[in-house]
């Protein structure tokens, strides 16, 4: 029985600010090692082994991330089965229903494994064995969820109460969902032994989950079905119909279906798992040293204990002296310093930043584009300096500006530059001038990334001073 993985790839991850922001949430950030959580999830749910056989993964995401998703998949050698674009966030219930309706159009007997793309599961083999156990229940028309064996009295997760003790890891009936508890209740459930963390991972036959929606959330059927049937292919993506999608309720799968369905089963998962829900979790998952210290990047720690120090900028040295129970995370445009016991309150800081209109609240300093990425190095009233990286074979749109001219200096690779119809190759240590109003573009004809420094000068250097004359990526 082949399984189609469905990766849910939205959200904002505000508790991991400043590395995680609306424009570039935590699943795309290499929080633990070189690989992103999204890439690790895609690898975990790909290929065939002795336990399970996965088809190419399906990814549900939004338009802001539509080019980040294939770029990160391509870099690890995975071709997606489909990338479905949600016109707006409507929570997990409409997203999962859309994935199921799309799946049955090709295979009425499709089996889906739905998972968030921002979880850490170190033991992939153990997870695959748990999924295989779940397939036995799916064959009996069960909707399967996976319960993580608690390691501590966590108040940040919902729980699953099992109706019986699991035997040899097999699926057992679910008695009830339990909302996020207070500390006393979490401690009681940990001691009881028959409660599991709710990981939000589900396995089911697509036709069974559709039937569950028809029974328990019939109001979602028409708008989501219409959004799927009227979806339009666009540059390799499948865009759900925005008008129909807007009519769908904003509701989670737990509230819409799972808490009402009677055919749920739970597969216990006893191995390590984390959703990296805060900097305290990052600290815990990063193997603190004997003093409880975790360091990353250009940092210096002196007599620090129970502390996380992280610099994600080569130009910023983070120095901690005599710190205890502190989180310090530095980027080019923002620095977070917090008591580790208040890690869950980082989201409150994001709210405050939004209220004061700070761009750091939502916008990542690197702007990721289908052709590569750019980063502002210096911004002033009449000039801006950027570093731009262009992927091999990629090209920026043919464009012009009303208020600025540009100087391009290639520092790595080769650029093919067009200025008012004149085409030339610009190699390392060479530059080209783009006068105000000139119609211009650049592309990377080589096989390695091309890097250039762009100096913009003029009365206005805002990103909205642009006219695109030809754009193969249909950027907004």
């Amino acid at each position: 029985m082949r399984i189609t993985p469905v990766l849910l790839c939205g959200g904002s991850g505000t508790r991991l600010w400043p590395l995680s922001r609306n424009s570039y949430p935590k699943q795309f950030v290499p929080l633990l090692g070189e690989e992103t959580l999204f890439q690790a999830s895609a690898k975990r749910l790909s290929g065939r082994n002795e336990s399970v056989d996965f088809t190419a993964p399906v990814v549900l995401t939004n338009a802001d991330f539509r080019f980040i998703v294939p770029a990160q998949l391509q870099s690890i050698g995975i071709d997606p089965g489909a990338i479905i674009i949600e016109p707006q966030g409507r929570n997990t219930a409409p997203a999962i229903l859309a994935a199921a309706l799309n799946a049955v159009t090709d295979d009425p007997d499709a089996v889906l494994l739905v998972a968030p793309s921002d979880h850490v599961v170190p033991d992939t083999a153990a997870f695959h064995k748990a999924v295989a156990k779940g397939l036995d229940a799916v064959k009996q028309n069960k909707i399967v969820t996976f319960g993580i064996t608690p390691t501590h009295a966590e108040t940040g997760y919902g729980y699953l109460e099992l109706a019986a003790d699991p035997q040899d890891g097999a699926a057992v009936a679910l008695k009830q969902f339990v909302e996020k508890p207070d500390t006393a209740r979490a401690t009681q459930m940990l001691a009881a032994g028959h409660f599991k963390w709710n990981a939000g991972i589900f396995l089911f036959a697509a036709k069974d989950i559709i039937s569950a929606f028809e029974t328990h959330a019939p109001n979602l059927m028409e708008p989501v079905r219409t959004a799927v049937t009227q979806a339009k292919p666009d540059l390799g993506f499948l865009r759900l119909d925005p008008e129909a999608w807007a009519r769908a309720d904003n509701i989670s799968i737990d509230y819409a279906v799972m808490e009402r369905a009677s055919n749920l089963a739970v597969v216990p998962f006893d191995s390590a798992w984390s959703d990296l829900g805060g900097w305290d979790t990052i600290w815990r998952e990063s193997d603190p040293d004997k003093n409880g210290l975790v360091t990353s990047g250009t940092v210096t720690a002196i007599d620090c204990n129970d502390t996380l120090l992280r610099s994600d900028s080569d130009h910023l040295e983070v120095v901690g002296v005599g710190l205890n129970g502190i989180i310090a995370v530095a980027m080019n445009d923002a620095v977070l310093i917090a008591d580790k016991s208040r890690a869950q309150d980082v989201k409150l800081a994001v709210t405050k930043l939004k209220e004061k209109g700070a761009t750091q609240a939502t916008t990542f300093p690197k702007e990721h584009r289908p052709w590569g990425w750019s980063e502002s190095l210096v911004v002033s009233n009449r000039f801006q300096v950027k570093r731009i990286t262009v992927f091999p074979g990629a090209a920026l749109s043919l464009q012009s500006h009303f208020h600025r001219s540009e100087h391009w200096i290639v520092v790595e690779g080769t650029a093919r530059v067009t200025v008012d119809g004149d085409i030339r190759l610009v190699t390392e240590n060479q530059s080209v001038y783009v006068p105000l109003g000139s119609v211009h573009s650049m592309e990377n004809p080589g096989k390695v990334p091309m890097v250039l420094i762009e100096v913009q000068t003029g009365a206005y250097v805002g990103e909205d001073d642009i006219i695109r004359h030809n754009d193969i990526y249909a950027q907004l």
Side-chain angles (χ1 to χ4, degrees), residues 76-87:
I76 57 173
I78 293 179
D79 292 323
I83 299 176
I84 302 175
I85 305 298
E86 300 177 64

Side-chain angles (χ1 to χ4, degrees), residues 101-122:
L101 290 169
N102 184 67
V104 295
T105 59
D106 295 325
D107 180 6
D109 296 317
V111 174
L112 307 184
L113 176 64
V114 178
S117 60
D118 57 0
H119 289 181
V120 174
V121 184

Side-chain angles (χ1 to χ4, degrees), residues 273-294:
W273 168 91
S274 175
D275 72 343
L276 294 187
W279 283 111
D280 54 340
T281 311
I282 297 289
W283 171 85
R284 188 183 306 122
E285 294 292 327
S286 299
D287 295 325
D289 68 13
K290 62 181 181 180
N291 296 316
L293 178 65
V294 170

